Each structure stands twice: as C-alpha cells, then as structure tokens.
Amino acid sequence: MLSWRFLRVVGRAPPILFVARNNRSLVAKAFLTRSLAMSSENGGAPTDEKAAALGPDGKPLSKNALKKLEKEKEKERKKAEREAKQAEEAGAKDAEDYSKDRYAILPMAQSQEKTSKVWTKVKDLTLEAVGKRVLVRARLHTTRGTGKQCFMILRDRQYTVQGVCAVNDVISKAMVKFAAGINRESIIDVEGEVKSVDQKVQSCSQEDVEISVDKIFVVSLAEPRLPLQIEDASRPETDDEQAHVNQDTRLDNRIIDLRTVPNQAIFSIQAGVCNLFREFLTSQGFNEIHTPKIISAASEGGANVFEVTYFKGKAYLAQSPQLYKQMVLCADFDRVFTIGSVFRAEDSNTHRHLTEFIGLDIEMTFSEHYHEVIDMIGQTFVHIFKGLRDRYADDIAKVQKQYNSEPFKFLEPSLVLTYREGVDMLREAGVEMNYDEDLSTPNEKLLGKLVKQKYDTDFFILDKYPLCVRPFYTMPDPHNPEWSNSYDMFMRGEEVLSGAQRVHDPTLLTERAKLHEIDIEKIKAYIDSFRYGAPPHGGGGIGLERVVMLYLDLHNIRKSSMFPRDPKRVTP
C-alpha cells in the first residue's frame, strides 16, 4: 500500500500531495518549486524562518538542502533574465533591419509601370564589366548560406555567374538569411557591383567575375519541390556514380529539363542549322515558301498518313511538302525551300523516328542533269557543317560535356557513291542483299562505318536507288528503268535526306500514280499543274531533328526534338 501524506507549509500555501515512500525525489522537487514561489512572493526572503526551513516531512531542512534551494532560486532567476534579454534583442533587431528595403518578394508583375531600369545579361558579365554596377535578372540555380554570407549561382540560359551577399553596413543578417532561403529555380532580380575574383569560379561560365549583391528581389517564386534536379539532368552520361534522370521523367517535365545548359545548347544548335540552311539557300537565289499541311490525298502514297475529319469530308496531314514545292516551280519560282512540320503515321518506336518532325525541304529546276540538284544540296550540307563548326563551337562543347562524341567529319565537295557501289561494299563485308532491296537500318549503319573507314567522312551521298523502293513521283533512270534518278544522304550511317528528280510529265506521272494505287482524282490538281509547261526539277527533304541528333551523336532523336511526338507520346 502506498502511504500518502499531506504537507501544509505555514503561510499561504495550499495543500500539496506527495508520494512519501515511493517517489522522494518528486516530493523534494515539488517542495523546492513551491518554496521558490513563496520566496519570490515575499521579496526573496521568507517571512517565517521555520516555515521556510521545513521539509516535506515537516522537519527543518539541513544546510545542504538549504544551499540546494538557494541554487535553484538563482538558476531560475538567471534563466528568466536571459529569456527577457533575448526577447528584447530580437525585438530590437526586427526594429533595426537596416536592409529591409533591399530585399523582398515582389508583387506579381502585371505591367504596372515603366521605368528607366536597364538589365544586363549574364553572358555580358566579363572582366570589362568589373567596377560597374549592374541589374541582372536570372534564375537562382543554387544557394549556399554560411552564417553571415550567402553564395548564389545565377543562371541565364547557358550562362552562369556567382553572386555573393555578405553582412556589412548596408546588408543585414536578415537579408542574407532571406537570400539563402529563396527556392531554387526562382526568377530573381539582383543588383550589385561586378568584381574580379582571385581564383576562377570553375562552376560558372563567367569564371573571372562575380557580383557583390546588395539588392535582391524575387520576381517569380518557384515551388520548393522540383520534379527533377537541374544538376542530375545535366550530369555526364559516363558518370555512373551519381543520380541521372531517365528519359520519360525528362519528357514528362520538359519545361524543367529544357533549362539545363546542354539542352539550351542543343536547341541553340538546332536554330543554327535552320539559320545556316536559310542563309545559304537565300544566297543561292532560293525563295522561302510555306505550304499547306492539310491536304486532300496522301502526298507520299501508302498508309502512313494521318486522316482527319474535315467538315463533312476527310483530309490528311501532309507527309511532305513535296507536291506543293513542285507546283510552285511550275509557277516559275525556279528555286524554293520551306521549313515546317511533317507528319508520318508510322508506328515506329525507334531511336530515330517521330510522328511529327520539322522538314527542311529544297526544290529547284535544273538545266541539264539532276546532279545539279545533288551538288546544290551537298553544298548546303557543307555550309551547315562548316557553320556549326566555326560559329557554334561553344555550344557544341557544352553538349559534349554531357554527351561525349567524336567531332563530325565531312569532305568538300561531298562524297557521292552509287547505290550499287554501296551494296558492293556491304557484300564485301559479308552482307547478303540484292541490288533491288532497300537499305535496312543495320545495313545503313554498317555502310556508314565502312565509308568512314575508307574515306574518313561521316557524311556521304548515295545515288541511283532502285525505282521500286521510291515514291511515285520519282523519275526513272533513262538507261535502265529498274533504277531511278534518286538519292539519299547520310550522317554517321543514318539517312537524313531523301530526294530525286521529279516526274514533270503528266502522262508518266499518272502512270506512276496508278502503279502506286493512288486515287488520281485526289491528286488531279497536282497532275494538272504539269500540263501547261513544267521545267525539269528535283529536290529533297531533310529531317531537322535527325541532323542535330547525328551531328552531336545524341543517340536518340527525342533529345533533339523540343516536344517530341511518337506513337506513345502526345504530351506535353
């Protein structure tokens, strides 16, 4: 049985319940606490020495117990003083944040006002800018707080610079804490002085300078949890020790994925291919045109076409701008090119096929021989390759940090082989195939390796394909009807262009269309365009994404398509 006792301390104390036998420490603690309270109420000195000296058992306290009691009283008093001082200091700091106007999360930008502010691009922060005060808008790539200073990496597309925010006469500790707490990928405005650094900042593109930040404003705050980390998505493919981001995760979160420096460089190079293509052809007297993408019949023939409802009838998405390029030449435009979407309803889930891609198409008249067209297209590719090598070296280097590859090699003028010569090379390598067979993907790759070994070039042209493997509008060879005046062009052993001399005679064109089981009524306007005088002509179509993929040796066309479309993906 527990023995319970009540102790009534003389004075104003109410009864206190103690467990006398089984928990003497609890009794003592409760007693000491109550004694401290009584002492405090009486100005620190008990009014009754006997009451103050009585223990829980009603007997006077020993000297040691009294000393312990005094120590507890002193400890409680110091604690209360310390807490009061801390609260006072915190309040004073809040009241004295001398940087409070230098940092904030800005209200949503709704074009409220116009100012005379001038923003500087990160890429322009060089040694020439040292000593200047700049205003920079960038994404917050990373931050690292170290007490009284915060290091931040600011990213503007492919360019990065270090910013340092440190406590001083104008920057408070609260401002440094604010900077260190901003979520990654937020868009911020920073102001400060550009300074040179003693040691290069190896982690930044602008490695010779940094910004001494004294103002920082959040323009758009990113959510704290990102679907993928920029560092993981930028890591070299050869780094097996750290985390990587798989392809589906990248494509599902393409907006974040596209922010990486390698991806920014890839699509800078892609834009460069288009610019160089347009630049060269314009210099050669070509006109840029735009052709319909909704058509009445399959432009390439066959079943690989998307059928769409068109009001009360049906229409198709263009497999090629081919028919319209030819019609324009019949309208005396002479030389044309176009850049636009091409659609192929091929259920091909491979590294190089898309259901929608960007076509770079060329069409031109010639005076005597379709090799005039081959030469022009070959020169176009050479101009693109030289332009990428000379103007986009920095971008190529950024891509190679993640996707390592051998430099692309080409000849000037371009190497041209006949289809028969290509088949012979494959046969010599042990491949069994006939001259009237189309090249399979494995044979294309093998032929590319054989050509590289023999001619030291990653780009070549294969001429005179068998007629049976080409579209209906391909001109037959005049000396052997089993062959055709057609050609393909290859990069690193994969086809990037298919072209030919076109049939410009309406009678032969009708025969060829019937042979391919194409409804003549559906292409009547196309055939009729050749009835009023049509010049001999030819051209070809280039797949933009393939050119970029193969030039950079990316191994998958989805890396060179901004928002790829394949049989399994129509988002985002």
Side-chain angles (χ1 to χ4, degrees):
M1 293 289 293
L2 293 174
S3 177
W4 300 85
R5 294 182 183 174
F6 286 90
L7 172 66
R8 183 178 296 277
V9 180
V10 177
R12 291 172 291 165
I16 303 176
L17 181 65
F18 290 91
V19 180
R21 291 182 183 173
N22 296 356
N23 205 336
R24 294 184 181 277
S25 61
L26 179 62
V27 171
K29 186 174 181 180
F31 176 76
L32 290 172
T33 302
R34 181 57 189 168
S35 297
L36 287 169
M38 289 176 58
S39 175
S40 176
E41 290 173 1
N42 289 283
T47 56
D48 190 318
E49 289 292 333
K50 240 180 178 181
L54 294 180
D57 55 1
K59 296 180 181 180
L61 293 174
S62 65
K63 290 183 179 181
N64 288 338
L66 286 170
K67 287 181 180 180
K68 188 174 183 180
L69 178 63
E70 290 300 322
K71 286 181 179 179
E72 289 290 342
K73 288 166 58 180
E74 183 66 15
K75 184 178 179 181
E76 289 293 329
R77 184 183 64 78
K78 288 183 177 180
K79 181 181 178 182
E81 289 178 354
R82 187 168 59 252
E83 290 177 348
K85 185 178 180 180
Q86 289 174 349
E88 183 180 353
E89 289 177 351
K93 285 182 179 180
D94 290 340
E96 298 174 5
D97 184 3
Y98 48 86
S99 299
K100 62 184 178 181
D101 295 329
R102 292 179 171 269
Y103 66 94
I105 297 177
L106 297 177
M108 181 174 63
Q110 293 182 281
S111 302
Q112 290 95 328
E113 61 179 348
K114 295 181 181 180
T115 69
S116 58
K117 292 180 180 178
V118 177
W119 279 261
T120 301
K121 304 296 288 184
V122 170
K123 68 177 181 179
D124 296 327
L125 299 177
T126 63
L127 287 172
E128 294 179 356
V130 170
K132 295 180 181 178
R133 185 170 179 80
V134 294
L135 168 61
V136 173
R137 176 166 295 178
R139 286 194 182 274
L140 184 63
H141 187 62
T142 61
T143 56
R144 178 168 56 90
T146 58
K148 293 187 176 182
Q149 60 183 354
C150 174
F151 294 91
M152 59 188 75
I153 302 296
L154 308 174
R155 191 184 76 246
D156 179 16
R157 295 202 67 198
Q158 303 174 43
Y159 303 95
T160 51
V161 67
Q162 177 173 274
V164 182
C165 184
V167 173
N168 56 30
D169 292 341
V170 296
I171 299 173
S172 66
K173 191 173 182 179
M175 178 174 170
V176 173
K177 184 178 180 181
F178 172 83
I182 301 172
N183 299 335
R184 290 186 179 190
E185 294 303 298
S186 295
I187 298 173
I188 60 175
D189 279 349
V190 300
E191 290 186 53
E193 182 182 343
V194 180
K195 295 185 176 181
S196 60
V197 292
D198 296 332
Q199 292 184 336
K200 289 183 180 293
V201 185
Q202 300 290 347
S203 59
C204 294
S205 64
Q206 313 309 101
E207 57 185 12
D208 296 320
V209 297
E210 66 182 14
I211 304 174
S212 180
V213 177
D214 56 41
K215 288 185 180 181
I216 181 167
F217 296 97
V218 178
V219 178
S220 179
L221 186 66
E223 293 188 0
R225 186 178 179 86
L226 298 171
L228 58 87
Q229 297 299 320
I230 299 295
E231 294 90 339
D232 295 342
S234 305
R235 202 157 278 134
E237 285 190 320
T238 54
D239 187 349
D240 297 327
E241 296 182 358
Q242 300 189 69
H244 291 266
V245 182
N246 67 47
Q247 180 174 279
D248 284 339
T249 301
R250 285 177 178 274
L251 297 181
D252 288 342
N253 301 280
R254 194 61 161 156
I255 299 301
I256 306 294
D257 183 45
L258 288 172
R259 295 177 186 175
T260 69
V261 170
N263 273 335
Q264 290 285 320
I266 286 171
F267 290 100
S268 175
I269 291 167
Q270 186 186 86
V273 172
C274 290
N275 289 337
L276 291 164
F277 176 79
R278 182 179 281 113
E279 174 184 271
F280 179 75
L281 293 177
T282 300
S283 75
Q284 299 300 309
F286 282 73
N287 289 305
E288 184 170 4
I289 63 170
H290 304 284
T291 61
K293 302 299 179 279
I294 301 174
I295 59 177
S296 62
S299 50
E300 297 282 350
N304 299 328
V305 58
F306 287 110
E307 183 180 288
V308 297
T309 300
Y310 194 72
F311 300 101
K312 294 182 180 180
K314 294 179 181 179
Y316 305 90
L317 297 182
Q319 296 164 291
S320 164
Q322 184 56 55
L323 310 185
Y324 292 94
K325 289 189 301 177
Q326 291 183 257
M327 292 168 72
V328 166
L329 294 189
C330 292
D332 293 342
F333 277 80
D334 192 45
R335 294 181 169 191
V336 299
F337 71 90
T338 184
I339 300 175
S341 293
V342 175
F343 303 90
R344 299 286 171 88
E346 298 178 11
D347 192 8
S348 298
N349 295 282
T350 73
H351 76 284
R352 66 176 190 169
H353 284 94
L354 295 171
T355 54
E356 179 184 356
F357 62 90
I358 301 302
L360 310 179
D361 278 80
I362 305 171
E363 205 74 17
M364 60 177 280
T365 62
F366 60 84
S367 301
E368 188 174 51
H369 199 284
Y370 78 97
H371 280 180
E372 297 170 34
V373 182
I374 290 181
D375 291 344
M376 179 62 70
I377 299 175
Q379 291 176 45
T380 302
F381 270 106
V382 169
H383 182 79
I384 291 171
F385 299 150
K386 290 170 70 174
L388 293 178
R389 180 195 64 194
D390 299 341
R391 304 184 204 175
Y392 293 84
D394 289 345
D395 287 327
I396 293 168
K398 290 170 184 175
V399 175
Q400 287 182 333
K401 285 184 178 180
Q402 182 168 17
Y403 306 109
N404 190 34
S405 65
E406 293 293 324
F408 190 84
K409 292 187 175 183
F410 58 96
L411 301 177
E412 188 177 5
S414 300
L415 174 67
V416 181
L417 301 172
T418 66
Y419 190 83
R420 180 180 284 271
E421 288 174 325
V423 173
D424 286 341
M425 291 179 69
L426 289 170
R427 286 180 169 182
E428 290 173 8
V431 176
E432 295 182 3
M433 69 173 291
N434 297 321
Y435 292 119
D436 62 352
E437 291 181 49
D438 201 358
L439 287 177
S440 64
T441 299
N443 286 344
E444 279 185 4
K445 290 183 177 180
L446 177 57
L447 182 58
K449 291 179 181 178
L450 297 173
V451 168
K452 180 70 177 291
Q453 291 171 3
K454 187 173 181 178
Y455 299 100
D456 196 30
T457 180
D458 289 308
F459 177 75
F460 67 96
I461 301 169
L462 212 55
D463 186 25
K464 291 291 181 187
Y465 268 71
L467 183 63
C468 62
V469 300
R470 307 303 280 194
F472 77 95
Y473 46 72
T474 303
M475 181 67 76
D477 184 289
H479 306 295
N480 187 340
E482 292 184 359
W483 298 97
S484 66
N485 294 350
S486 64
Y487 42 85
D488 280 359
M489 300 186 185
F490 297 84
M491 294 173 61
R492 298 192 197 267
E494 297 192 39
E495 177 223 318
V496 292
L497 175 141
S498 184
Q501 178 184 351
R502 321 301 187 181
V503 175
H504 59 283
D505 178 78
T507 302
L508 180 57
L509 191 60
T510 301
E511 291 175 6
R512 295 284 300 153
K514 288 180 178 178
L515 188 63
H516 282 256
E517 298 181 348
I518 295 174
D519 187 343
I520 302 300
E521 285 301 314
K522 290 186 177 180
I523 59 170
K524 185 177 182 300
Y526 168 64
I527 294 175
D528 287 347
S529 65
F530 300 104
R531 297 188 187 280
Y532 311 106
H537 61 276
I542 304 168
L544 173 62
E545 291 86 352
R546 276 197 196 178
V547 169
V548 176
M549 174 188 74
L550 294 167
Y551 186 86
L552 298 172
D553 203 15
L554 299 176
H555 304 298
N556 195 309
I557 200 166
R558 289 155 189 81
K559 290 185 174 75
S560 57
S561 175
M562 189 165 281
F563 296 101
R565 294 291 179 262
D566 60 34
K568 296 182 178 179
R569 180 173 290 277
V570 291
T571 59

